[in-house]
Amino acid sequence: MRHTLAIIGAVGALLVGMPVWAQEPAQGQTAAERFEKLSPEQKEALRAKLREFKALPKEEQERIRGNLQRLRNLPPEERERLRANLREFQRLSPEERKLLRERFKDFRNMDPERKAELRKRMREYLRAHPERREQMMENMRRWRQMSPEQRQELRERMRERRRR
């Protein structure tokens, strides 16, 4: 699973960080022509990820191919939303990424009824309290602007507040 996340993260990073090949292919432009436009560093990163991908079990390769096909079939605005989410993920610290992965894993392992209930409750909450959604987004913006030291200080204050 961790390997898969790393590959998906790398693919996401490549999608975000390598706009030349992430763009829709120009009329008549082949994959080889797009590859030639990459920098040597980008080419080597792509080759390394390809080697890593080929070392995965066939089932995992098929799952990833399916995910990439679904990505290609998304409407452009949905693909852009996904790229924006990946950019946000890349801005997180390694500890925050780890925590997010753990929470996502916990969520994936929940029974379907519990997942559906959590999704429903979140949608209802955000629908009933649009101002809370805006506040949440503002808090996330401020969090991203903090230094690691400021984030740690805030975490400690929050833990202290919970103990009281």
Side-chain angles (χ1 to χ4, degrees), residues 18-164:
M18 295 184 186
V20 170
W21 74 269
Q23 296 170 356
E24 296 299 320
Q27 191 69 15
Q29 191 178 41
T30 67
E33 290 168 335
R34 288 193 312 275
F35 183 79
E36 286 307 312
K37 291 181 181 178
L38 298 175
S39 72
E41 296 81 18
Q42 290 170 323
K43 287 177 184 177
E44 185 48 41
L46 202 52
R47 285 184 187 111
K49 287 301 166 190
L50 181 60
R51 286 188 297 273
E52 209 174 303
F53 175 78
K54 286 182 176 182
L56 291 172
K58 291 291 180 200
E59 307 81 45
E60 190 67 10
Q61 289 181 22
E62 288 306 313
R63 192 183 69 71
I64 291 171
R65 282 188 182 107
N67 287 341
L68 289 173
Q69 186 59 45
R70 280 191 292 284
L71 176 67
R72 285 187 204 104
N73 293 334
L74 287 175
E77 59 277 358
E78 191 65 19
R79 276 196 308 265
E80 183 48 44
R81 186 185 66 77
L82 182 59
R83 286 183 181 114
N85 287 344
L86 286 168
R87 283 190 295 270
E88 292 301 317
F89 183 77
Q90 289 173 330
R91 289 184 183 127
L92 297 175
S93 70
E95 301 84 36
E96 291 167 326
R97 289 181 197 180
K98 181 181 178 191
L99 181 60
L100 191 58
R101 285 184 185 109
E102 288 169 2
R103 287 188 178 160
F104 182 70
K105 183 179 176 186
D106 292 344
F107 182 76
R108 281 184 65 186
N109 291 333
M110 281 183 194
D111 62 273
E113 295 82 26
R114 178 76 175 130
K115 279 190 216 180
E117 177 62 25
L118 282 173
R119 286 182 177 126
K120 179 183 172 203
R121 287 174 51 198
M122 183 55 101
R123 278 192 303 271
E124 288 171 356
Y125 176 81
L126 292 175
R127 213 173 304 139
H129 305 284
E131 71 284 353
R132 298 267 173 102
R133 177 174 164 50
E134 287 305 314
Q135 183 60 52
M136 183 176 70
M137 297 305 283
E138 178 57 32
N139 288 346
M140 288 170 51
R141 279 190 286 277
R142 288 201 314 243
W143 178 262
R144 285 191 299 268
Q145 293 172 349
M146 290 181 179
S147 69
E149 296 79 21
Q150 291 170 317
R151 289 178 183 181
Q152 187 58 37
E153 182 182 323
L154 182 59
R155 284 185 197 104
E156 290 168 7
R157 285 197 321 242
M158 297 300 285
R159 281 188 202 112
E160 185 61 37
R161 201 180 291 170
R162 276 186 229 132
R163 285 187 214 134
R164 291 182 193 165

